[in-house]
Amino acid sequence: MTTVALPTRRQEEWRYSDLEAVASLWPLPAPVRIDVAAGESAHHHLLQDAGEGVAVVHDYAIAIADGGRCDFHVLNIGGRFGRVTLNVTLGKRAHFELNGAIIGGGKQTLEIVTAVTHAQPDGTSGQTIRSVLGQHATGSYLGSINVARGAQRTDAFQSVKAMLLDRTATANAKPELEIYADDVKCAHGATVGELDKQALFYMASRGMDPATAKTLLLKAFVAGVFDDMADEAVKETLEAAAIAKLEALV
């Protein structure tokens, strides 16, 4: 029987993880398999809200056949360590859309790790991640777009933005492109910032207390992540969980 070795910080995808928490879960179970048939559409979501001190890892392996589409929404807010990974393979004219938010405080370590492979021509994908981190929390997004040889006319992007509420919090962003085709359109961008002090001053000048002002700005920052959800009830659940977490941070 072969035992898979524990990950180390030498492995890029585990560099920022809480490896002590990972060890308590090792070995990890097989990833959840999602297969989207040719021409079909699928909608999935994950609310990762494990209890305080809990370590969890959610792994997904997603295969989207020719002409299929998969939309995935993630809210990663719970536990001492919460990791979500998505390994996605797209067929011809297939589309994958990921919208995710990481909201952490205390000493939490929260991660979203993706590998999106365009294996056939004319595939499209989008990844939008927003992070809000306070106190001593660490939030990480490590995502790769991999375009295979022959996967011409691929169109893919990654947009990663993080907001730090305290200088002791840490945001890691590593969008990555690996392209082996010459007729593609791929883009990525990552920013890390703080709340707009001028906006906070303006809101205070209109009589708004600091906590309410900060919460409103943060809600606007992450709101777009859930805008396109098809299931209104699920959307409301995720938004309510996000707002509650934001209010706890400010």
Side-chain angles (χ1 to χ4, degrees), residues 26-189:
W26 206 260
L28 300 177
V32 175
R33 180 84 188 182
I34 297 174
D35 292 295
V36 182
E40 298 294 325
S41 294
H43 300 270
H44 295 270
H45 72 276
L46 173 66
L47 170 55
Q48 193 295 100
D49 60 349
E52 185 177 353
V54 177
V56 292
V57 174
H58 296 272
D59 290 333
Y60 294 88
I62 303 172
I64 310 172
D66 294 354
R69 178 186 178 105
C70 181
D71 290 85
F72 209 116
H73 290 81
V74 175
L75 177 58
N76 192 0
I77 59 174
R80 164 192 172 183
F81 174 68
R83 178 181 173 95
V84 181
T85 73
L86 301 102
N87 195 320
V88 185
T89 303
L90 292 89
K92 189 174 183 179
R93 297 185 305 278
H95 179 77
F96 174 69
E97 192 78 24
L98 170 65
N99 288 278
I102 297 171
I103 307 174
K107 295 183 179 181
Q108 287 183 287
T109 299
L110 303 173
E111 305 177 327
I112 295 177
V113 182
T114 69
V116 177
T117 299
H118 290 263
Q120 300 294 333
D122 301 302
T124 56
S125 67
Q127 300 179 65
T128 301
I129 306 295
R130 299 292 180 261
S131 298
V132 178
L133 303 162
Q135 298 156 354
H136 295 273
T138 298
S140 303
Y141 165 79
L142 295 87
S144 64
I145 297 172
N146 311 290
V147 182
R149 287 183 175 85
Q152 305 294 356
R153 298 172 298 282
T154 289
D155 189 346
F157 76 87
Q158 297 163 303
S159 172
V160 188
K161 295 181 180 180
M163 190 78 71
L164 298 182
L165 303 182
D166 300 288
R167 295 295 178 91
T168 50
T170 301
N172 302 300
K174 189 176 181 292
E176 181 180 353
L177 303 176
E178 186 176 70
I179 301 171
Y180 291 99
D182 55 14
D183 181 11
V184 303
K185 183 164 64 174
C186 294
H188 60 194

